[in-house]
């Protein structure tokens, strides 16, 4: 299925709605908006970042880390910094200090990563 202009507008609208729900602290509703879209096309990385943020709000740090890892792989550098920072926070929350520090280094640009090895 091709990703046409109508689908792009639909996805953009749902992403704005999901962002609004996140601003209100309504993580479940934000995830529902993202997950109901279908094909995300060029918005996949942003959707992973929003989904991870929603899961993080729900204190589901392992699931959030998975979403942030997906976002890190999809965003080109340096646009991946927000995903690295969020991933670092998830690792910190579950007590994985080593991975938290490593992800924070990636977020800050202190640790360059190669194309095939973006996530730990």
């Amino acid at each position: 299925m091709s990703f046409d202009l109508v689908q792009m507008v639909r996805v953009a609208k749902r992403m704005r709605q999901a962002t609004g729900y996140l601003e209100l602290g309504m993580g479940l509703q934000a995830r529902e908006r993202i997950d109901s879209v279908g094909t995300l096309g060029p918005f996949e990385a942003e959707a992973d970042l929003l989904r991870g943020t929603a899961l993080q709000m729900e204190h589901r740090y392992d699931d959030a880390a998975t979403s942030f890892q997906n976002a890190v792989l999809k965003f080109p550098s340096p646009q991946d910094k927000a995903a690295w920072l969020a991933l670092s926070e998830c690792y910190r929350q579950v007590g994985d200090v080593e991975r938290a520090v490593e992800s924070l280094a990636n977020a800050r640009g202190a640790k360059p990563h190669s194309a095939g090895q973006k996530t730990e």
Side-chain angles (χ1 to χ4, degrees), residues 61-62 88-101:
Y61 300 111
D62 290 329
S88 174
E89 178 60 20
C90 284
Y91 288 143
R92 188 187 70 76
Q93 288 290 335
V94 297
D96 191 343
V97 176
E98 184 177 327
R99 289 176 83 181
V101 170

Side-chain angles (χ1 to χ4, degrees), residues 44-46 48-49 64-88 91 103 106-107 113-115 117-120:
E44 282 185 23
E46 186 66 29
D48 285 328
L49 190 60
T66 300
S67 287
F68 292 137
Q69 288 168 345
N70 290 335
V72 161
L73 292 172
K74 293 172 186 171
F75 275 121
S77 186
Q79 285 79 24
D80 61 354
K81 290 184 185 297
W84 278 116
L85 183 61
L87 184 57
S88 174
Y91 288 143
S103 295
N106 281 317
H113 45 269
S114 61
Q117 307 220 354
K118 283 189 95 170
T119 59
E120 292 78 50

